[in-house]
Amino acid sequence: MKKVTNTLSSIGADAGSSQQMVLELARHFLRQNAMRVSENILKRPDFTPDKETSIRYSELTAEIDDQTREYFTKRILKFHPVSLHIFPSLRIDIRLTGVAVSSGLSAPLTELVLAPSLMNLTDAIDKTCLAVDAICERKGFASDVPIKLILNLADASLFTRDWMECSTASAQEQCAVSLGEMLCGMLTRQPIKMTCS
Protein backbone atom coordinates (compact mmCIF):
# COMPACT_ATOMS: atom_id res chain seq x y z
CA MET A 1 0.00 0.00 0.00
CA LYS A 2 2.96 2.28 0.71
CA LYS A 3 4.11 2.02 -2.93
CA VAL A 4 0.64 3.00 -4.13
CA THR A 5 0.44 6.11 -1.89
CA ASN A 6 4.02 7.13 -2.75
CA THR A 7 3.31 6.79 -6.47
CA LEU A 8 0.09 8.78 -6.21
CA SER A 9 1.81 11.58 -4.33
CA SER A 10 4.75 11.64 -6.77
CA ILE A 11 2.38 12.26 -9.70
CA GLY A 12 0.34 14.72 -7.68
CA ALA A 13 -2.79 12.59 -7.62
CA ASP A 14 -2.97 11.75 -3.92
CA ALA A 15 -5.80 14.13 -3.14
CA GLY A 16 -9.13 12.95 -4.47
CA SER A 17 -7.80 9.95 -6.46
CA SER A 18 -10.44 7.60 -7.76
CA GLN A 19 -10.82 4.15 -6.27
CA GLN A 20 -10.29 2.68 -9.75
CA MET A 21 -6.87 4.35 -10.05
CA VAL A 22 -5.80 3.12 -6.61
CA LEU A 23 -6.91 -0.44 -7.45
CA GLU A 24 -5.11 -0.43 -10.81
CA LEU A 25 -1.88 0.77 -9.22
CA ALA A 26 -2.17 -1.89 -6.51
CA ARG A 27 -2.72 -4.60 -9.14
CA HIS A 28 0.26 -3.32 -11.15
CA PHE A 29 2.59 -3.56 -8.13
CA LEU A 30 1.25 -7.02 -7.21
CA ARG A 31 1.94 -8.32 -10.76
CA GLN A 32 5.40 -6.79 -10.73
CA ASN A 33 6.20 -8.38 -7.38
CA ALA A 34 4.84 -11.79 -8.47
CA MET A 35 7.03 -11.72 -11.59
CA ARG A 36 10.12 -10.90 -9.53
CA VAL A 37 9.38 -13.76 -7.11
CA SER A 38 8.77 -16.30 -9.91
CA GLU A 39 12.02 -15.29 -11.63
CA ASN A 40 13.91 -16.01 -8.42
CA ILE A 41 12.12 -19.30 -7.70
CA LEU A 42 11.98 -20.83 -11.17
CA LYS A 43 15.25 -22.03 -12.63
CA ARG A 44 15.19 -20.96 -16.23
CA PRO A 45 16.79 -23.33 -18.76
CA ASP A 46 19.90 -22.02 -20.45
CA PHE A 47 18.92 -21.35 -24.05
CA THR A 48 22.14 -19.62 -25.01
CA PRO A 49 22.26 -19.48 -28.83
CA ASP A 50 25.69 -21.13 -29.02
CA LYS A 51 24.51 -24.13 -26.97
CA GLU A 52 23.19 -27.12 -28.90
CA THR A 53 20.14 -28.32 -27.02
CA SER A 54 19.66 -31.77 -28.56
CA ILE A 55 21.58 -34.98 -29.13
CA ARG A 56 21.08 -36.66 -32.48
CA TYR A 57 21.72 -40.23 -33.63
CA SER A 58 24.81 -39.20 -35.64
CA GLU A 59 26.40 -37.76 -32.48
CA LEU A 60 25.67 -40.94 -30.55
CA THR A 61 27.10 -43.27 -33.20
CA ALA A 62 30.34 -41.25 -33.26
CA GLU A 63 30.65 -41.78 -29.49
CA ILE A 64 29.92 -45.53 -29.11
CA ASP A 65 32.01 -48.58 -30.04
CA ASP A 66 31.31 -50.81 -33.06
CA GLN A 67 29.71 -53.58 -31.02
CA THR A 68 27.22 -51.17 -29.41
CA ARG A 69 26.59 -49.39 -32.73
CA GLU A 70 25.61 -52.75 -34.27
CA TYR A 71 22.55 -52.93 -31.99
CA PHE A 72 21.31 -49.71 -33.56
CA THR A 73 22.21 -50.57 -37.17
CA LYS A 74 20.44 -53.94 -36.82
CA ARG A 75 17.45 -52.04 -35.38
CA ILE A 76 17.46 -54.05 -32.17
CA LEU A 77 17.73 -50.73 -30.34
CA LYS A 78 16.14 -47.51 -31.53
CA PHE A 79 17.49 -44.19 -30.30
CA HIS A 80 15.13 -41.22 -29.94
CA PRO A 81 16.88 -37.83 -30.23
CA VAL A 82 17.47 -36.33 -26.78
CA SER A 83 16.06 -32.87 -26.12
CA LEU A 84 18.05 -30.98 -23.50
CA HIS A 85 15.39 -28.24 -23.19
CA ILE A 86 12.89 -29.67 -20.72
CA PHE A 87 13.20 -32.93 -18.75
CA PRO A 88 16.21 -34.36 -20.61
CA SER A 89 15.91 -38.13 -20.96
CA LEU A 90 17.28 -40.92 -23.12
CA ARG A 91 14.47 -42.92 -24.73
CA ILE A 92 15.34 -46.29 -26.25
CA ASP A 93 13.03 -48.81 -27.92
CA ILE A 94 14.06 -52.49 -27.67
CA ARG A 95 13.07 -55.13 -30.24
CA LEU A 96 13.26 -58.48 -28.46
CA THR A 97 12.68 -60.37 -31.73
CA GLY A 98 15.82 -58.69 -33.03
CA VAL A 99 17.74 -59.92 -29.99
CA ALA A 100 16.59 -63.52 -30.57
CA VAL A 101 17.23 -63.50 -34.34
CA SER A 102 20.66 -61.87 -34.06
CA SER A 103 21.67 -64.35 -31.33
CA GLY A 104 20.61 -67.31 -33.50
CA LEU A 105 18.01 -68.50 -30.99
CA SER A 106 14.94 -70.50 -31.91
CA ALA A 107 11.50 -70.72 -30.35
CA PRO A 108 10.28 -71.71 -27.84
CA LEU A 109 12.53 -69.65 -25.55
CA THR A 110 12.81 -69.56 -21.79
CA GLU A 111 14.18 -66.69 -19.73
CA LEU A 112 17.23 -68.82 -18.92
CA VAL A 113 18.06 -69.34 -22.61
CA LEU A 114 17.49 -65.65 -23.33
CA ALA A 115 19.58 -64.38 -20.38
CA PRO A 116 23.06 -64.28 -22.07
CA SER A 117 21.64 -62.35 -25.05
CA LEU A 118 19.89 -59.90 -22.73
CA MET A 119 23.14 -59.44 -20.80
CA ASN A 120 24.89 -58.32 -24.01
CA LEU A 121 21.95 -56.06 -24.82
CA THR A 122 22.01 -54.37 -21.41
CA ASP A 123 25.76 -53.84 -21.79
CA ALA A 124 25.04 -51.93 -25.03
CA ILE A 125 22.35 -49.85 -23.27
CA ASP A 126 24.75 -49.04 -20.40
CA LYS A 127 27.41 -47.91 -22.89
CA THR A 128 24.81 -45.79 -24.70
CA CYS A 129 23.89 -44.07 -21.42
CA LEU A 130 27.55 -43.27 -20.72
CA ALA A 131 28.02 -41.94 -24.27
CA VAL A 132 24.98 -39.64 -23.93
CA ASP A 133 26.31 -38.46 -20.53
CA ALA A 134 29.65 -37.54 -22.16
CA ILE A 135 27.88 -35.62 -24.95
CA CYS A 136 25.73 -33.76 -22.37
CA GLU A 137 28.85 -32.69 -20.47
CA ARG A 138 30.57 -31.50 -23.65
CA LYS A 139 27.53 -29.43 -24.59
CA GLY A 140 27.45 -27.73 -21.19
CA PHE A 141 24.59 -29.73 -19.66
CA ALA A 142 26.56 -31.47 -16.90
CA SER A 143 23.69 -30.85 -14.47
CA ASP A 144 21.59 -33.36 -16.47
CA VAL A 145 24.14 -36.15 -15.94
CA PRO A 146 23.43 -38.98 -15.36
CA ILE A 147 20.77 -38.74 -18.05
CA LYS A 148 17.42 -40.31 -17.15
CA LEU A 149 16.67 -43.56 -19.01
CA ILE A 150 13.28 -44.56 -20.43
CA LEU A 151 12.89 -47.97 -22.09
CA ASN A 152 10.14 -49.42 -24.26
CA LEU A 153 9.88 -53.11 -25.11
CA ALA A 154 8.49 -52.31 -28.55
CA ASP A 155 7.44 -55.82 -29.55
CA ALA A 156 6.81 -57.44 -26.15
CA SER A 157 3.38 -58.90 -26.96
CA LEU A 158 4.54 -60.32 -30.31
CA PHE A 159 7.75 -61.71 -28.80
CA THR A 160 6.06 -63.38 -25.83
CA ARG A 161 3.43 -64.91 -28.14
CA ASP A 162 5.68 -66.14 -30.97
CA TRP A 163 8.96 -66.81 -29.18
CA MET A 164 7.89 -67.75 -25.65
CA GLU A 165 4.59 -69.51 -26.47
CA CYS A 166 2.35 -67.33 -24.29
CA SER A 167 -1.07 -67.98 -25.80
CA THR A 168 -3.29 -65.63 -23.76
CA ALA A 169 -3.11 -61.87 -23.34
CA SER A 170 -2.64 -62.19 -19.57
CA ALA A 171 0.22 -64.71 -20.02
CA GLN A 172 1.87 -62.36 -22.55
CA GLU A 173 1.56 -59.45 -20.15
CA GLN A 174 2.93 -61.45 -17.23
CA CYS A 175 5.86 -62.69 -19.32
CA ALA A 176 6.60 -59.17 -20.67
CA VAL A 177 6.67 -57.79 -17.11
CA SER A 178 9.01 -60.60 -16.08
CA LEU A 179 11.33 -59.85 -19.03
CA GLY A 180 11.28 -56.15 -18.14
CA GLU A 181 12.25 -56.92 -14.54
CA MET A 182 15.00 -59.22 -15.75
CA LEU A 183 16.37 -56.48 -18.03
CA CYS A 184 16.28 -53.93 -15.21
CA GLY A 185 18.17 -56.32 -12.96
CA MET A 186 20.99 -56.49 -15.51
CA LEU A 187 21.26 -52.75 -16.18
CA THR A 188 23.73 -50.54 -14.33
CA ARG A 189 21.43 -47.51 -14.74
CA GLN A 190 17.87 -48.16 -13.71
CA PRO A 191 15.23 -46.75 -16.04
CA ILE A 192 12.81 -44.23 -14.55
CA LYS A 193 10.13 -45.78 -16.74
CA MET A 194 9.69 -48.99 -18.75
CA THR A 195 6.77 -49.66 -21.06
CA CYS A 196 5.71 -52.67 -23.13
CA SER A 197 3.94 -52.57 -26.50
Side-chain angles (χ1 to χ4, degrees), residues 63-160:
E63 191 79 24
I64 54 179
D65 60 39
D66 293 340
Q67 199 172 13
T68 303
R69 194 178 303 112
E70 202 171 311
Y71 279 92
F72 292 98
T73 55
K74 287 184 174 179
R75 296 175 52 197
I76 296 168
L77 295 177
K78 181 186 175 189
F79 172 83
H80 293 267
V82 178
S83 169
L84 298 170
H85 281 292
I86 299 165
F87 194 70
S89 58
L90 169 60
R91 286 179 49 231
I92 298 177
D93 291 343
I94 301 169
R95 263 188 347 108
L96 294 168
T97 51
V99 173
V101 169
S102 108
S103 300
L105 302 175
S106 56
L109 293 176
T110 63
E111 289 176 355
L112 192 62
V113 171
L114 196 55
S117 302
L118 291 182
M119 189 73 88
N120 293 334
L121 174 76
T122 54
D123 184 52
I125 294 170
D126 285 337
K127 287 178 180 174
T128 301
C129 289
L130 293 174
V132 171
D133 286 349
I135 297 168
C136 280
E137 288 178 352
R138 266 202 313 276
K139 290 188 177 211
F141 290 92
S143 61
D144 295 317
V145 173
I147 195 87
K148 291 166 186 64
L149 177 63
I150 298 172
L151 296 178
N152 176 39
L153 300 179
D155 62 349
S157 56
L158 176 77
F159 182 77
T160 54

Side-chain angles (χ1 to χ4, degrees), residues 13 18 21 38 45 57 71 79 116 172 191:
S18 72
M21 187 175 194
S38 67
Y57 178 69
Y71 279 92
F79 172 83
Q172 290 167 16

Side-chain angles (χ1 to χ4, degrees), residues 27-66:
R27 282 188 189 122
H28 167 74
F29 287 123
L30 277 172
R31 278 194 299 270
Q32 225 179 13
N33 195 38
M35 283 172 56
R36 232 180 275 118
V37 169
S38 67
E39 280 174 13
N40 293 335
I41 291 172
L42 296 174
K43 183 187 170 193
R44 294 184 177 226
D46 186 358
F47 295 136
T48 315
D50 62 341
K51 259 192 181 181
E52 279 190 63
T53 57
S54 65
I55 299 173
R56 292 174 299 283
Y57 178 69
S58 56
E59 294 174 278
L60 172 70
T61 54
E63 191 79 24
I64 54 179
D65 60 39
D66 293 340

